Amino acid sequence: MRPAIAYIHLDHLRYNYQVLASQADGAYMIAVVKADAYGHGLRWVAPVLWQEGCRYFAVTDAEEGMRLRDILTPQRSANILLLSGIFDEEDARYCVDAQLIPALTHEQQIAWLKAHHFAGGIWIKVNTGMHRLDADSPEKLLQCCDEASIQVIGIMSHLACADTPDHPLNVHQHDHFFTMYQRLLPTAQASLLNSAGLISPTGKHYDYVRTGIALYGSEPVVQKKLGLKPVMQLTGKVIQIHTLNPGDAISYGATFVAERPMQLAIVTLGYADGLPRALSNCGHAYCKGHYYPMVGRVCMDYCQLDCTNTPLAVGDCVEFWGGHLLADDIAMKLDTISYTLFTGVGERVHRQVVVSTQ
Ligand SMILES: Cc1ncc(COP(=O)(O)O)c(C=O)c1O
């Protein structure tokens, strides 16, 4: 087996869930587990969250919903919400077969559900300032639901700038949501906050909060860190050590040339595994108390570490992100977000569950 492994620390997931639940001011948690639980492995993440008390899960579409229903077969009462709604009639059939709860944004979706005699409930998703996938006309959508006898159980919207707590759009979105909720569905359930919104709320929590990234240990609000624990630890193994002479070049493009005798470790993790190529000549890896600079370009299957000052040996396991190198810090350095790092971890990286570190 190629030793490229993402260790998934389930005890950290449990810890993060409880920390977030304690912040929720009585609101129920919807665990956002789309994109294979943000790359962490839905089949481990969802049952653990269920054990921690989570009863509402959100994925993006019906295929993810079917998969989750399968994983949670013993937990029949798990609620599975589809944040992107349904895309065609087949999705509507999946909703019926697997008791999925779509968040709807246009009338055509109601026709698809009706064609399959959908008897469950739906949410509607409204625009409060983000201008992404939302109902153009919530009034028309609600009227259609009424005519089709489809039960509307909730209204939701999504915050665009919750990770910047003093951004004026937060107050605007809160106000706008409150007005729409009062006007359209004052007796329905409501949900506005994502992880950052929960950690630094500008207004009401409503009935449900939809937490994604914070469950996995990223701190969505830099100004208000909660001490969340990283769930994913991405690692590779040293498989070769080279001795380089001054003038020797490393990897594609010869972008790094040794100026002195060097020890170079070749490690089994590359950009096809999700290690960003942008870390070439500027990233680090961690092993046994030391940080090693990445030298030369990150390749598809490998990267190279300078281990001249502190030796590495064949067989050493090195961390690329996890408890010693925070994905948030790496993301900031690369002008991206930890979401892209986690979801970018390739399928060929083995996920290995760690149940307890004690
Ligand atoms: C509609 C919706 N709600 C909630 C979330 C969870 O957001 P976060 O991961 O920032 O908590 C997302 C994530 O993209 C989303 O699209």
Side-chain angles (χ1 to χ4, degrees), residues 11-137:
D11 47 343
H12 292 183
L13 179 67
R14 290 182 195 277
Y15 175 86
N16 296 339
Y17 179 84
Q18 294 305 341
V19 170
L20 295 169
S22 74
Q23 302 280 311
D25 196 29
Y28 293 105
M29 299 266 283
I30 299 180
V32 182
V33 292
K34 58 186 174 155
D36 200 28
Y38 289 38
H40 290 68
L42 187 61
R43 66 189 153 126
W44 299 295
V45 165
V48 162
L49 292 173
W50 173 274
Q51 283 169 13
E52 290 302 305
C54 185
R55 296 294 176 264
Y56 231 112
F57 299 83
V59 291
T60 199
D61 62 9
E63 278 179 54
E64 289 188 355
M66 293 282 281
R67 185 167 166 241
L68 180 55
R69 178 60 75 205
D70 204 33
I71 291 166
L72 292 178
T73 300
Q75 293 84 19
R76 292 187 64 82
S77 58
N79 298 285
I80 302 178
L81 178 64
L82 311 182
L83 293 174
S84 300
I86 55 175
F87 294 92
D88 53 28
E89 246 193 81
E90 194 179 20
D91 284 353
R93 185 165 54 76
Y94 289 156
C95 287
V96 173
D97 291 349
Q99 292 102 49
L100 308 174
I101 306 167
L104 300 188
T105 47
H106 63 90
E107 295 89 60
Q108 176 63 60
Q109 294 168 319
I110 295 165
W112 291 329
L113 290 171
K114 208 176 159 203
H116 286 275
H117 310 289
F118 177 80
I122 60 111
W123 285 65
I124 65 162
K125 200 149 157 244
V126 296
N127 176 32
T128 52
M130 171 120 172
H131 298 98
R132 199 173 60 170
L133 179 66
D134 298 300
D136 275 342
S137 165

Side-chain angles (χ1 to χ4, degrees), residues 32 34 38 83 125 132 158 194-196 210-213 339:
V32 182
K34 58 186 174 155
Y38 289 38
L83 293 174
K125 200 149 157 244
R132 199 173 60 170
H158 194 44
N194 58 354
S195 297
R210 306 185 307 273
T211 50
I213 196 68
Y339 304 61

Side-chain angles (χ1 to χ4, degrees), residues 7-14 48 229 233 352-358:
Y7 292 97
I8 305 300
H9 294 265
L10 294 180
D11 47 343
H12 292 183
L13 179 67
R14 290 182 195 277
V48 162
K229 299 185 181 183
Q233 183 185 23
Q352 200 162 307
V353 165
V354 180
V355 175
S356 170
T357 48
Q358 284 161 31

